[in-house]
Amino acid sequence: MKHIFKILRPQLLFLALLTLAANASAKLNVVVTTADLASIAAEVGGDAIAVTTLAKPTEDPHFVDARPSFIVKLNHADVVIEGGAELEIGWLPALLDQSRNDKLVTGAPGHVNCSQGVPLLDVPATLDRARGDVHAAGNPHYIIAPSNAKIVAQNIAASLAIVDPPHAALYTANAEKFRAALDAKLIEWQKTLAPFKGRSLVAYHDSWPYFAREFGLTIDLFLEPKPGIPPTPAHLAEVIMKMKTENASVIIVDPYLNRRTAETVARTTGATVLDVTQFPGGLKGTEGGYLALLDHLVNSLATALAEKK
Ligand SMILES: [Zn+2]
């Protein structure tokens, strides 16, 4: 008997190690473009997936610094998740080409375009990128609206279920859980912003139409003359005039934009500059994920708007 144990023990240990290795590699390797998608993917995938994010949360999602390591990450991925609507068109397609990963080609279940089924705003009648407009296919900043985050979770769950059928039920259940958590929080967020319905804000970049619509705010003055085109003195003079007529007294700026331009406009008009982000980890206090991000955004907007009547 003792003899058998002596033989079996190393074999059992080996088997145990094998199982551990199998479990570790059994996690679906998911690469996402931005931190908001990383948070939603983690909610949906739970322990069944490992998430790698390409863009830093403080980076402009239109102009991500494409490092060679991204190609390696994409080459090893089972799934890539992008926002789509041309948000990542300036950097992702070239990386995907170079990664030579058949699982991630457009149309494959391993390539998730989260904008599917999202009613996009500002879709122009004709495509025109000639003047450097980075929103040529419609406004791609839709995830910051909770109603769209629910569609994103749904899209991710549906694709993961196809790529990884044994965990299909888990992905569906997790997406449903995320949806319920969002619905509960949405009531709270609506209540916090209700006193400011109809108020006008200025944004540096036109990335807030979905959020504005969801919460009854007006965000239609921008320091950029066109999305992706730097502010000019003539355009800023026009914005300053309109700020007076619209009584807009808060300018929101993302971490990767030129805060000093916003400060100059604020000095001229008596407005406040408010730092905002659409990405978990983009500002201190938003690291907890999508829900923490919305908490931070809604509360800091409410505070700034209450101070500036
Ligand atoms: Zn944009």
Side-chain angles (χ1 to χ4, degrees), residues 15 171 262:
L15 274 176
Y171 299 138

Side-chain angles (χ1 to χ4, degrees), residues 60 194 217:
D60 188 334
L217 300 167

Side-chain angles (χ1 to χ4, degrees), residues 60-62 87 134-135 139-141 205-207 224 227-228 256:
D60 188 334
H62 288 295
L87 178 71
V134 291
H135 292 178
N139 196 300
H141 304 285
H205 180 82
D206 182 9
S207 47
E224 288 179 341
Y256 46 83

Side-chain angles (χ1 to χ4, degrees), residues 27-35 37-39 41-42 49-55 69-83 88 91-92 95-96 99 101 104 109-114 156 160:
K27 276 199 183 193
L28 211 60
N29 191 355
V30 176
V31 173
V32 304
T33 53
T34 50
L37 292 173
S39 167
I49 70 169
V51 180
T52 305
T53 315
L54 297 181
S69 61
F70 290 0
I71 299 166
V72 181
K73 285 171 178 163
L74 287 166
N75 178 262
H76 294 156
D78 298 306
V79 174
V80 65
I81 300 177
E82 65 165 319
E88 302 97 335
W91 55 280
L92 185 65
L95 290 172
L96 282 172
S99 74
N101 185 341
L104 311 186
H111 187 137
V112 190
N113 181 334
C114 292
I156 293 174
L160 293 183

Side-chain angles (χ1 to χ4, degrees), residues 7-21:
I7 299 167
L8 272 181
R9 251 191 215 149
Q11 284 181 344
L12 281 174
L13 182 66
F14 180 64
L15 274 176
L17 284 173
L18 257 188
T19 315
L20 272 177

Side-chain angles (χ1 to χ4, degrees), residues 50-285:
V51 180
T52 305
T53 315
L54 297 181
K56 292 190 201 114
T58 49
E59 219 170 358
D60 188 334
H62 288 295
F63 306 105
V64 171
D65 182 18
R67 290 180 286 276
S69 61
F70 290 0
I71 299 166
V72 181
K73 285 171 178 163
L74 287 166
N75 178 262
H76 294 156
D78 298 306
V79 174
V80 65
I81 300 177
E82 65 165 319
E86 296 202 353
L87 178 71
E88 302 97 335
I89 199 170
W91 55 280
L92 185 65
L95 290 172
L96 282 172
D97 272 355
Q98 292 172 73
S99 74
R100 298 175 187 277
N101 185 341
D102 288 343
K103 292 183 204 166
L104 311 186
V105 296
T106 307
H111 187 137
V112 190
N113 181 334
C114 292
S115 70
Q116 270 186 344
V118 174
L120 290 180
L121 297 175
D122 311 325
V123 179
T126 51
L127 265 181
D128 181 13
R129 299 189 189 91
R131 284 170 305 224
D133 183 347
V134 291
H135 292 178
N139 196 300
H141 304 285
Y142 61 88
I143 303 172
I144 197 63
S147 57
N148 290 333
K150 289 191 262 183
I151 302 176
V152 169
Q154 194 63 45
N155 284 340
I156 293 174
S159 294
L160 293 183
I162 296 169
V163 178
D164 178 25
H167 290 112
L170 172 83
Y171 299 138
T172 310
N174 282 350
E176 191 46 53
K177 231 166 39 188
F178 178 64
R179 183 192 182 84
L182 264 181
D183 280 340
K185 288 296 287 188
L186 190 54
I187 298 168
E188 191 187 303
W189 295 327
Q190 297 278 17
K191 218 171 131 189
T192 305
L193 287 177
F196 312 106
K197 275 229 152 66
R199 285 281 294 272
S200 182
L201 290 99
V202 182
Y204 192 108
H205 180 82
D206 182 9
S207 47
W208 301 93
Y210 302 92
F211 181 86
R213 203 167 66 159
E214 193 128 341
F215 292 99
L217 300 167
T218 303
I219 311 180
D220 57 7
L221 293 176
F222 313 107
L223 301 189
E224 288 179 341
K226 256 178 182 294
I229 312 291
T232 60
H235 175 72
L236 291 179
E238 199 181 309
V239 170
I240 288 166
M241 247 169 55
K242 286 183 180 162
M243 281 175 73
K244 284 174 189 154
T245 52
E246 289 194 24
N247 197 22
S249 51
V250 176
I251 307 172
I252 54 177
V253 183
D254 298 77
Y256 46 83
L257 298 168
N258 190 345
R259 198 182 198 276
R260 295 179 86 177
T261 308
E263 285 163 359
T264 306
V265 174
R267 266 199 302 276
T268 315
T269 55
T272 306
V273 178
L274 178 67
D275 296 299
V276 290
T277 180
Q278 299 200 346
F279 302 106
L283 286 177
K284 216 172 159 220

